[in-house]
Structure formats: structure tokens, C-alpha cells
Amino acid sequence: LILRGVIVVNGEGAPPNGPADVLIESNRITEIRNLGLYSPVSDEKRIPVLPGDQVMELDGHYLLPGFIDMHAHFGGDEQGVSAEYVAKLWLSHGITTIREPGSFNGLDWVLAHQERSNKNEIAAPRIFPYVGFGQGNKGPFLTEQDTRTWVKKIAKQGAAGIKFFGAPANIMQAALDEAGKQGIGSMMHHAQLDVVNWNVMDSARAGMTSMEHWYGLPEAMFDDKVIQDYPLDYNYTNEQHRFGEAGRLWAQSAEPGSGSWDQVRDNLISMDFTINPTLTIYEASRDLMREMNADWHKQYTPPALWQFFQPSLISHGSYWHDWTTADEVAWKNNFRIWMQFLNDYKNHGGRVTLGSDAGYIWKIYGFGYIREMELLQEAGFHPLEVLRSATYLGAQVLKMEDQIGSVRVGKLADLVITEQNPIANFKVLYVTGHFKLGADNKPVRVGGVKYTIHDGIVYDAKELLADVRRIVSEAKAGDAATR
């Protein structure tokens, strides 16, 4: 397969370079030939076309590494969405690799989809299954030996890592130590129920691979308290309380640039600790109306998922019981400080990756990931820094940087092709495109990923999206028929 005339964004931080011809043989990049500045390009400069070759004429198109979503749930019975719906939305947005946190559909289920994806029997990204800590165990771990036995078991079954929420310190230590010995990764949502005993610094010292979201980070920088200043009627199970007070947490932590702030930042960086913030999944907290009325809901949100997002005492992340202006203002301030830490962390050499956590809180698969790019740019990242976080740095965490994460000879052909320049405007990566005024004074939508190449196989994003729209329309018809 020859990609002709593309502008290459390599994902490692280099600026765009091209035009270039790119040769893919089987599923690997075997040549990248820069064609120089001369126009038109002479045939002698191009990669020669041999009998049996396939050629894609892509003059002026942008070529990027496949995107890596480091927090990508498949959904399931709770959300009422199919694996096909989710996977095709990921691929149509250029996501070629996912880290599946928790494997809440069951490890066997995720491993089966991983195998089928590896064999290219289904249209789905490359899958790295992580298992929720203790999944399949009868009750919490009581001994360190039981903990180690479980870690060895899931590693043998094929788990790529473990997702933690919290446990006693000796159990956490044993699990992380054994995970290191077994060569599997680790990630943690530092839940409020255990964060006072085990925050981000404890995780990093014990060998944790990455933290998810941001819980546990402000707590590690408390100067004037040990426990968050909860209202006296607070109940963690009440998600209005849980998320409402979470939006007031960064304001209770150390000031940016203070000794505690700098010390935690530098210590985490010295331990090669990764932050996977998933800013996008909390965005409804600072602007609920925006997320409820996003452009893509009409065509791409099935009725079961739409219902799951509604205010509820049962559905996780549906905490809009009485969401006020004060709650949104608190979250806007929360984002401001959180973003400042992320940018500071990156500027001092820390690794920040991209994850979406879509399927909750009004976030749709694929769309939420592109929004995460925009939010990191809002935090102060240059677009090339954003793309590096979305590709090469994620590959590092997965220990796959020699195979994926950048456009280099010898690497797997996981690639994204767009007609528009995503560095100038990440909105052109949404499958709904970028809304703008055309030369004829009429509004138009431009952009959307044109092709996603995964493991050397070319997927037409528009064909994938047609399948997704069919799934949604059939679900809506079935929903209407049952009413």
C-alpha cells in the first residue's frame, strides 16, 4: 500500500513534514520518502508502484499515528450499547489502540474481543485489557498471599494490567509488587473512600504505572488538613454529594508554585509516574447544558445510553439531582487549577496521556476523546504536545513505543488520515466535522477523519459511521415499538 503525497505528523513532537510517500508492506511501515518542495513532484522522486500494489492518492492530506485511548470502557449492559457500536465509533475517530480499564464485562469477554481484533476478524482497535482489582474474588483480600495469588492468576489469564480503586496499604503494596514481578501494568482511580490512607504519592512510591482522573493528587498536597473538608451531611453514595464536593477539592489544596505543589510534582516525575487525566468526562460538571445538547447526540446516541445519562439515583455518573450555578462555577475553578498542574507537570518533564472514560456523564465514544485533545490545548499544551500525549506517550505506558505511537519505518501501520489540518483545529477530527462559513456565505461542515488504518487495514470512516447510524436508528425504532 502506497500513501502518496501526505504531510506527516510523526507523533513524537516533530512539526509536520512533507509531502511524502509512505510505503506499507503487510502491516508495517517500510519506507517514508520525503518528496521535497518541488511541484509538481516528478515520478522519479516517488516510491515506485509495482504490480499488485495499492495506491491512495492523498496529496495535501495529513498523516498521523493512530490515537491511543488510555481509558476506554467498552460499555455493556448498564449502558445498553453493543461492542460494535463502541468499536466503530472509536475507529472512525482514529483510535487504533485502547486500554480497557476494569474489564467490567468480564476478562474472558474482553480477551475474546482482543483475540478477534488481533486477527482482524472484527473492526475494533487493539485492546489492552486491565482487570478491576479483586474481580472474581470472593470478597476483599485479607492476606498479602491471597493478593499475590490473584495477581498471578489474572496475569496468566492474559490481563495486561490491574485497575485499583483502593485497599489497605499492605494489600496495595503486595498487589503492586506482584504486578511488577509479573510484568503487568497498573492504574488507579484514587477513590475518596480510601484516599486519606493512600494517595497518589503512595501509589507512585509503590510502583503504580499511572493515575486516572485526578483524585488523590490534591490530597497529596494538603498543607492545612489531612481529610477533605466534607459537609457534615456528606454521603459518598449520593453522587450529587460525591461529584459536587469533588468540584471543590482543588481549592483546598496547595497553591500553584508553592513548596508542596513543586515537591509533589517533582517527586512524581522522578518516579516516572503517568497522569491520565480524563478531563473530558467531568466537563458536564462545569457546563451541563453544553454536554446535554452536543451536536452528535441526535444521530449517534442510542436511546438506552441517552436514558442512562438522565438524572438518576441508580445510574453511575447521573448526578444531576439539583445541579446549580454554584456547582458549575466551583467546577470551572477546579478545572483551572487542575489544568495548571497538568501543564506544569508536562513542562517539567512529566508524562500526561489521553483517555476519555466515555459512556458516562453525557460523553460518547470517540467524540469524548477528541474533546480531551481540545481540553489539553486549553490547559496550555501546544497541539503537537497534545498529539504526542495522544500517541507516543500512551505507547510508552503500554510498553509498545517500539511498535506503535509514531510514524516511523519499522512500526505497525496504525495511522490516521485527514483532509484538514488537525494541528490548526482539533475540531476537524470529530466525525461531525467543523462548522464554519463557506466561500459562498453558507455554513458548511468540513473535516472528520477520512481513513483509519489499523494493523495495515484501511477503514473508511464514513462507512463505519453509516454502520453506527444504522445501529442507533434500529435501536430507536425498537424503543418506539415497545412504548
Side-chain angles (χ1 to χ4, degrees), residues 150-292:
W150 180 86
V151 174
K152 292 175 184 176
K153 176 184 175 182
I154 61 111
K156 186 176 181 180
Q157 289 174 335
I162 304 168
K163 181 182 181 181
F164 295 88
F165 288 93
N170 66 316
I171 299 299
M172 288 293 302
Q173 291 278 4
L176 288 167
D177 181 66
E178 193 59 48
K181 290 178 178 178
Q182 298 299 321
I184 62 175
S186 53
M187 59 196 295
M188 186 164 183
H189 170 152
H190 295 77
Q192 270 73 23
L193 296 178
D194 276 300
V195 73
V196 68
N197 299 312
W198 187 277
N199 62 39
V200 171
M201 286 302 300
D202 298 303
S203 289
R205 292 188 187 105
M208 184 77 68
T209 303
S210 73
M211 65 167 287
E212 306 305 295
H213 317 310
W214 52 274
Y215 312 110
L217 183 53
E219 291 92 337
M221 298 186 290
F222 280 168
D223 279 333
D224 60 350
K225 61 178 68 68
V226 175
I227 299 174
Q228 179 182 343
D229 186 15
Y230 296 110
L232 299 184
D233 63 347
Y234 179 93
N235 185 337
Y236 180 79
T237 304
N238 181 328
E239 291 204 340
Q240 168 90 27
H241 288 184
R242 172 180 165 182
F243 288 94
E245 291 308 310
R248 293 161 170 83
L249 181 52
W250 274 102
Q252 300 174 38
S253 192
E255 291 287 331
S258 66
S260 296
W261 174 289
D262 291 351
Q263 183 179 32
V264 168
R265 178 200 67 204
D266 294 344
N267 284 339
L268 291 175
I269 292 171
S270 72
M271 290 181 278
D272 196 30
F273 193 70
T274 299
I275 299 178
N276 189 54
T278 70
L279 291 147
T280 181
I281 198 61
Y282 299 100
E283 194 171 14
S285 300
R286 69 173 187 171
D287 193 346
L288 177 58
M289 190 179 296
R290 178 191 189 278
E291 296 308 304
M292 290 175 61

Side-chain angles (χ1 to χ4, degrees), residues 68-126:
I68 300 172
D69 191 334
M70 295 293 286
H71 199 117
H73 295 284
F74 253 108
D77 292 342
E78 191 177 28
Q79 289 95 335
V81 295
S82 68
E84 180 188 5
Y85 163 82
V86 175
K88 287 184 174 179
L89 273 178
W90 281 331
L91 282 177
S92 63
H93 282 95
I95 298 165
T96 57
T97 299
I98 65 159
R99 182 174 65 168
E100 218 287 7
S103 298
F104 299 132
N105 292 328
L107 179 58
D108 289 344
W109 186 94
V110 180
L111 287 171
H113 282 74
Q114 179 194 47
E115 182 179 6
R116 295 188 68 197
S117 174
N118 290 344
K119 292 179 178 178
N120 293 308
E121 295 175 352
I122 55 174
R126 183 175 287 101

Side-chain angles (χ1 to χ4, degrees), residues 334-458:
N334 218 41
F335 263 74
R336 177 179 54 80
I337 306 171
W338 180 16
M339 286 177 163
Q340 190 170 346
F341 187 91
L342 292 173
N343 197 41
D344 196 29
Y345 196 72
K346 175 263 298 178
N347 288 342
H348 284 81
R351 186 187 298 107
V352 179
T353 56
L354 256 76
S356 65
D357 200 10
Y360 302 93
I361 316 180
W362 300 100
K363 287 297 181 178
I364 306 300
Y365 310 92
F367 294 99
Y369 186 84
I370 305 306
R371 182 58 182 161
E372 184 76 356
M373 293 183 176
E374 293 189 287
L375 289 169
L376 281 184
Q377 185 172 356
E378 180 184 334
F381 287 50
H382 186 281
L384 288 172
E385 293 174 331
V386 174
L387 290 174
R388 182 169 176 260
S389 289
T391 56
Y392 187 68
L393 297 186
Q396 283 185 339
V397 176
L398 298 173
K399 299 180 180 178
M400 285 285 289
E401 68 269 27
D402 61 334
Q403 300 292 318
I404 60 174
S406 59
V407 183
R408 281 196 181 271
V409 170
K411 289 198 173 187
L412 292 171
D414 280 14
L415 302 164
V416 181
I417 298 170
T418 67
E419 287 187 86
Q420 308 290 322
N421 178 4
I423 295 169
N425 181 12
F426 284 128
K427 294 185 187 301
V428 302
L429 294 174
Y430 289 117
V431 298
T432 46
H434 170 51
F435 188 63
K436 60 177 285 189
L437 187 66
D440 58 356
N441 199 39
K442 294 180 180 179
V444 294
R445 285 191 178 271
V446 299
V449 170
K450 191 169 185 178
Y451 301 107
T452 298
I453 302 178
H454 172 236
D455 203 34
I457 294 176
V458 180

